[in-house]
Amino acid sequence: MKRETLILLFATTLIAGGAQGDTAPSAESWRWTLPEFMPPPRVPADNGMSEARFQLGRKLFYDPRLSGNGKESCASCHEQRLAFTDGRPVAVGATGQHTPRNSPSIANAAWRATLTWANPAMVTLERQMEGPLFGEEPIEMGVNDKNRKEILARFDSDADYRRDFAAAFPGEADPISFGNVIKAISAFERGVVSASSKYDLYLEGKATLSPEETRGKDLFFGEKAECHHCHGSVNFDDQFYHAKTREIETPFHNTGLYDLDGKGAYPEPNRGVFENTHNPAEMGAFRAPSLRNIAVTAPYMHDGSAATLEDVIDIYAAGGRNVASGPLKGDGRYNPNKSALIVPIDLSPQEKSDLIAFLKTLTDNSLLTSPRFADPWKPASTASGSTRAPVQ
C-alpha cells in the first residue's frame, strides 16, 4: 500500500468544533480546520481551546515582560520565520546562558506524544512550559520566587491584559496567574498548525511534484533510504498521536552521532533519555523530530551539530558520524547503542539531491508568514517596547 494511501487512512474528521472538556466555559467557539489526513489533536480536559485563550497565549508568547529581567520572550527561541525555531545550534536564555539543546519547532506540537528531545515523561505542553519558565540550570525565562509577583503585576497593571485574562478564563475571580499564563500559551502553541506545504497540497490533489521531488519521495518512503521508519507519520515523526489514539508509542533513537569511549558514551549533558533514566541502554537516545519545515530549521540534531540538510543526509548515509578529532572524537557509526535502523545507505549524489528536493516540499510558507501566528506587538511601525498595542 502506498504511503499516500496510508496517510489518508488517518482521516476521521475534517473539523472538530468546540472546546473539549474544558472546565471553564468559553464565550467563543473553537474549530480545528484541518486537511482530511490530519485528525484533531488531543486537548487536555482542564485546558480547552477557545479563541480568547489562543489570542491571550499569542500575546504572552511574544511578550518579554514574561521573563524575569524583561529581556526574553518565548519567541526569542521560536521565531515564526524559522518555523518557530531560532537558527542557532542551541538556545540562549534571558541571562545569556546557553541551553544544551537545539530549539525544537512548536508547529504541530499538539500532535507530539512527548515534548522535549529526550524526556519520556514530558507529555503535555502545560508541563513542558514549566521548564523554560522556572528552570534554573540553565536559566531561560528566569522566573523565580523573588520575581513572580513582580511579573504578574506587569500584566495586572495593563488594562488590556486584565480584559484578555478575564475573557480567556471567564468566571475566575483572579485570572492573572502563572497557571493561566501557562494554559494560555499552551493553547496558542496547540493552535499553531502546519498543514499547507507543497506536499500537503499534493496529497489533496492540489499540487504536482517535480520529477526530482517525486524520486525523493519514493526514496523517503521506500526501503532503500528508509526515512519513513522514524519519520513516517502525518507529522513526519514517529511519536504522532491525536484525539482518538488509544495506544501511544514513544520511541527514542540513538543515531550514532557520538561514541566518546568506544562504549557508546555521548557528551554530557546531552546523553539522551539516559539523563532521566540512567539506563545505559538509553545512552544517546533522542526523539525523532518532525521533518515538517525542515528546510528552514537549520542547524540540525539535538545539539545543532549538523549545519545543513546535506550534512544530515551524509551522516545517515554513512550509518552514523565519525568525529575524527577534538574533544568529541569517536566513531559513532560503531556506537553499541545505535539503532538497528541506522545502517550505511549507498546513495548516489543524485539520490541525495532528490531527497533534499522532497524535504523542501515539506515547507509550509503560510506557517512562516500567517498573521494569525505573528507577533502582535510588532507590526505597528511606530511602536517599540512592551507598551505597544497588539494588532487584533
Side-chain angles (χ1 to χ4, degrees), residues 237-301:
D237 60 9
D238 60 356
Q239 290 199 11
F240 182 79
Y241 90 128
H242 54 84
K244 295 186 178 180
T245 299
R246 293 184 177 180
E247 295 184 9
I248 300 175
E249 297 181 356
T250 57
F252 293 85
H253 311 275
N254 181 322
T255 56
L257 292 181
Y258 299 102
D259 189 359
L260 302 183
D261 59 358
K263 300 177 182 177
Y266 266 51
E268 297 184 41
N270 265 334
R271 296 177 295 178
V273 177
F274 174 84
E275 299 283 0
N276 291 296
T277 65
H278 300 290
N279 178 357
E282 295 177 309
M283 171 72 76
F286 292 89
R287 177 174 58 80
S290 168
L291 299 187
R292 284 186 172 274
N293 304 292
I294 193 69
V296 299
T297 62
Y300 305 103
M301 306 299 187

Side-chain angles (χ1 to χ4, degrees), residues 179-203:
N180 285 345
V181 166
I182 288 173
K183 284 185 175 181
I185 295 179
S186 296
F188 170 69
E189 293 180 331
R190 202 164 271 125
V192 176
V193 177
S194 178
S196 298
S197 68
K198 182 177 182 180
Y199 184 65
D200 294 315
L201 298 178
Y202 162 77
L203 291 177

Side-chain angles (χ1 to χ4, degrees), residues 149 152-153 155-156 161-162 165-181:
K149 289 184 179 179
L152 291 179
F155 302 129
D156 198 33
Y161 263 125
R162 290 200 301 273
F165 271 96
F169 300 96
E172 295 193 18
D174 187 16
I176 300 180
S177 66
F178 269 102
N180 285 345
V181 166

